[in-house]
Amino acid sequence: METVIKEKIKQIKKGNKAAFEDVVSFYQNKVYQICFRMIGNAHEAEDLAQEAFIRAYTNIDRFDERRKFSTWLYRIATNLTIDRIRKKKPDYFLDAEVKGTEGLSMYSQIAADQALPEEEVESLELQTYIHKEILALPPKYRSVIVLRFLDELSLQEIADVLEIPVGTVKTRIHRGRETLRKRLRHV
């Protein structure tokens, strides 16, 4: 698929807007998920994902075609989201998910043999609580935790997205997990 994307990028650089629509269609869900899992608010995640694509399009000439486009795009989305988090009041985004049930299905892991309704509710409550605690982590830990465990990127991919060494990624994952473990002890 990467070769198809590389061809689309060449077409975009030549001015083919339809090729960019194809790229957006291919990556839009993943970019949205990265933003949502970091910010915890569906509307803001949509705005951030859209802004990431706009930035990618306007800066497409800066993209180095020897690299993976997805890494470059995810870096843009992650950086935009981290910037938004830093500008927000901490209590606002911590409570953002509590207001409704948006996004809960994203984390739902209902067993194939169908859990009892009360077990499903308990599972959703626990997942909501864990997601809330992930949102409470400092941005540098939150980003690596989300990219590693929710988006399942490799250590090298995370290092590329965040433009930091793999050793720093490992350290932040360890510290983020420890911080999260301490916060979840009373569960």
Side-chain angles (χ1 to χ4, degrees):
M1 190 63 198
E2 192 64 31
T3 54
V4 173
I5 296 298
K6 284 185 180 192
E7 184 56 39
K8 294 286 182 185
I9 300 303
K10 288 178 184 175
Q11 292 174 14
I12 295 165
K13 286 185 174 185
K14 292 177 182 175
N16 183 342
K17 292 180 183 180
F20 190 71
E21 291 174 19
D22 295 340
V23 170
V24 170
S25 294
F26 185 76
Y27 287 109
Q28 67 186 359
N29 290 335
K30 186 72 168 176
V31 171
Y32 169 79
Q33 288 174 8
I34 288 171
C35 296
F36 179 77
R37 289 174 174 163
M38 290 179 68
I39 201 88
N41 179 292
H43 297 295
E44 283 189 87
E46 288 172 7
D47 289 345
L48 287 163
Q50 184 175 8
E51 189 173 341
F53 283 112
I54 290 169
R55 290 232 181 139
Y57 184 75
T58 58
N59 294 300
I60 197 72
D61 290 331
R62 294 183 185 173
F63 171 65
D64 181 355
E65 293 181 38
R66 295 172 294 180
R67 298 181 175 261
K68 284 182 71 174
F69 178 77
S70 59
T71 301
W72 185 69
L73 180 61
Y74 299 161
R75 181 182 320 129
I76 292 170
T78 301
N79 289 343
L80 284 170
T81 306
I82 288 171
D83 287 346
R84 176 79 55 94
I85 290 166
R86 287 180 179 152
K87 292 176 184 174
K88 295 176 76 165
K89 293 181 182 178
D91 60 338
Y92 174 74
F93 67 82
L94 290 177
D95 295 334
E97 197 59 41
V98 176
K99 293 178 184 174
T101 59
E102 286 184 29
L104 290 180
S105 61
M106 188 179 296
Y107 299 111
S108 296
Q109 300 288 330
I110 299 173
D113 60 349
Q114 286 293 7
L116 297 172
E118 57 269 13
E119 290 172 344
E120 288 181 27
V121 170
E122 286 176 13
S123 175
L124 287 175
E125 287 173 353
L126 179 61
Q127 290 169 13
T128 301
Y129 180 74
I130 291 171
H131 186 223
K132 182 178 175 184
E133 293 303 319
I134 290 172
L135 290 174
L137 291 172
K140 67 181 180 180
Y141 298 145
R142 182 184 329 165
S143 60
V144 295
I145 295 293
V146 166
L147 292 172
R148 179 69 175 150
F149 298 106
L150 300 179
D151 293 322
E152 300 177 353
L153 296 183
S154 71
L155 296 176
Q156 185 60 56
E157 288 172 320
I158 296 168
D160 292 344
V161 166
L162 298 177
E163 295 182 311
I164 57 177
V166 172
T168 304
V169 171
K170 290 178 182 178
T171 301
R172 288 184 182 179
I173 287 173
H174 175 73
R175 290 180 181 162
R177 287 177 71 182
E178 287 303 309
T179 302
L180 194 57
R181 187 175 289 122
K182 287 175 187 173
R183 294 180 67 89
L184 296 174
R185 266 197 189 134
H186 64 278
V187 175

